[in-house]
Amino acid sequence: MTPRVLLIGPSASVVGGQSVMCARLLADLSASGTATVEFLPTNPALPGPLALLQRIRYVRTVVTLAWFCLLLPRRVLRADVVHAFSPSYWAFLLAPAPAVLVARLLGRAAVLHYHSGEADDHLTRWGWHAVPLLKVAHVLAVPSRWLASVFARHGLPTVVVPNHIAPSPATLAAPLAPPPGAGARVLCNRMLHWHYGVDDVLRAFREVRAARPDATLTITGGGPDCGALTQLARDLGLEGVDFVGVVPHDAMPGLYARHDVLLNLSVVDNQPVSLLEAGAAGLPVVTTDTGGIRDLLTDEVEALLVPSRAPEAAARAVLRVLGDAGLAARLGAAARERVLREHRWPAVEGRWRATY
């Protein structure tokens, strides 16, 4: 019997890896027949004139949560399994925790799908209530072995189901991203938040630019630190930096194809979708080894890994890739092979079937 699944997570209007993964899982569960899926966003739009309240800071949090909780019981009753995406801290309390509690109260199976790279701090500082709430779920699903080890240290068993992507036909049909030639085009595709070390990307690029005056840096995404990062680029006297803002997800393959290396210097992370997508495109990657990244990519095999908060080391790694076409091609090909083998729907579908 095909299970009826209520998928709960951020809608596509929320920028970030969780919304991308939620949309991807919704599409693939439905298309494959693994489950009959209904979607309830954690940020539902209020009906009619009430939607105006969601334009008011602080008020929108209260009214959106109230509307979500009002919709939740009726949706849960139509499902066999409630599958809730979960971040950490307050965001964990605002939607995932109520979702699994209501599922259990109404006799439905509850899967809590935890994604945050801040899990250890969350469970250490907030464990007195977070751990009991997490234990309410029948299954705790995480995307990486690293995150599973964090939960295990807090006495919480998990199942590991990796994040997956759906490369576009153009990405699959295209040759690997060309090795560096006349240009030295660096791409950073992360939210502009301290977690993702975009300040270190700018500092690393200053060193790259000193050695390669032709180098350019494209920074995509938005976030709370946009103004501060733009000012930092000016303070560092950087040229060749382009903050392009939020790029639609379906436009990203073109960006990967037009660059020579992806630079990710996150300080807190788990299993970033941007690294999976770059790997599928054959774009060489230089990244920190933070959190689950070290399980995702092997140093000197699928990427060059550097410590976090070490922009000089990152700059040296970027210059290695830009200066060695053979290395760039080898890293890109190995990452592409691994991502397409381990992080597409056929590789994870069976795990979700078993989970449900």
Side-chain angles (χ1 to χ4, degrees):
M1 179 179 174
T2 303
R4 298 169 299 170
V5 174
L6 175 63
L7 189 64
I8 297 174
S11 71
S13 64
V14 177
V15 177
Q18 278 200 53
S19 62
V20 172
M21 277 308 309
C22 191
R24 186 74 268 139
L25 191 57
L26 177 64
D28 288 333
L29 285 171
S30 301
S32 65
T34 302
T36 302
V37 189
E38 184 176 354
F39 177 58
L40 174 60
T42 53
N43 55 323
L46 268 69
L50 292 177
L52 296 174
L53 295 174
Q54 292 180 306
R55 299 181 184 180
I56 305 172
R57 191 177 182 183
Y58 304 124
V59 171
R60 64 172 167 257
T61 300
V62 175
V63 297
T64 301
L65 175 61
W67 185 239
F68 170 79
C69 290
L70 187 65
L71 295 173
L72 184 61
R74 186 175 62 179
R75 299 291 187 89
V76 168
L77 285 171
R78 297 206 294 253
D80 302 308
V81 179
V82 174
H83 179 152
F85 275 70
S86 178
S88 54
Y89 303 122
W90 283 108
F92 163 73
L93 292 175
L94 293 178
V100 296
L101 285 169
V102 170
R104 290 300 299 257
L105 286 171
L106 296 179
R108 301 310 192 256
V111 175
L112 193 138
H113 193 181
Y114 194 101
H115 280 255
S116 175
E118 296 177 289
D120 195 36
D121 187 64
H122 177 204
L123 297 178
T124 298
R125 293 172 54 201
W126 295 34
W128 63 274
H129 67 263
V131 170
L133 286 171
L134 287 163
K135 288 181 176 179
V136 169
H138 291 94
V139 176
L140 295 175
V142 295
S144 66
R145 295 191 303 272
W146 168 78
L147 199 49
S149 70
V150 170
F151 272 70
R153 290 199 299 272
H154 293 271
L156 296 166
T158 59
V159 297
V160 178
V161 185
N163 287 339
H164 75 285
I165 61 171
S168 67
T171 297
L172 293 174
L176 295 179
R185 301 158 298 181
V186 183
L187 175 65
C188 174
N189 177 30
R190 299 308 300 267
M191 187 176 178
L192 305 185
H193 186 283
W194 77 266
H195 287 177
Y196 304 116
V198 182
D199 57 332
D200 282 339
V201 169
L202 292 171
R203 295 185 180 96
F205 182 69
R206 178 176 56 179
E207 306 301 319
V208 171
R209 180 90 176 182
R212 290 288 301 264
D214 61 329
T216 62
L217 171 63
T218 303
I219 298 177
T220 72
D225 295 345
C226 183
L229 291 166
T230 303
Q231 183 60 50
L232 177 61
R234 287 194 291 264
D235 293 344
L236 294 173
L238 291 176
E239 297 181 356
V241 178
D242 188 9
F243 287 87
V244 300
V246 176
V247 175
H249 188 248
D250 58 4
M252 284 307 303
L255 267 186
Y256 295 130
R258 293 194 297 273
H259 287 80
D260 301 299
V261 60
L262 181 83
L263 180 57
N264 172 69
L265 298 183
S266 50
V267 179
V268 175
D269 227 326
N270 181 28
Q271 194 175 86
V273 174
S274 59
L275 297 191
L276 295 176
E277 293 176 339
L283 180 64
V285 170
V286 172
T287 179
T288 50
D289 59 358
T290 304
I293 293 175
R294 64 178 66 94
D295 295 329
L296 179 64
L297 300 167
T298 305
D299 187 30
E300 298 284 348
V301 179
E302 296 103 6
L304 297 184
L305 304 187
V306 298
S308 63
R309 293 306 187 198
E312 297 84 3
R316 291 192 295 270
V318 168
L319 289 169
R320 276 187 63 196
V321 173
L322 296 177
D324 187 339
L327 173 65
R330 176 170 60 80
L331 293 175
R336 181 181 173 97
E337 191 278 331
R338 182 170 181 178
V339 168
L340 295 183
R341 182 182 73 247
E342 298 181 5
H343 296 278
R344 295 173 70 190
W345 179 244
V348 303
E349 179 185 6
R351 300 193 192 195
W352 284 124
R353 286 185 185 274
T355 299
Y356 295 153

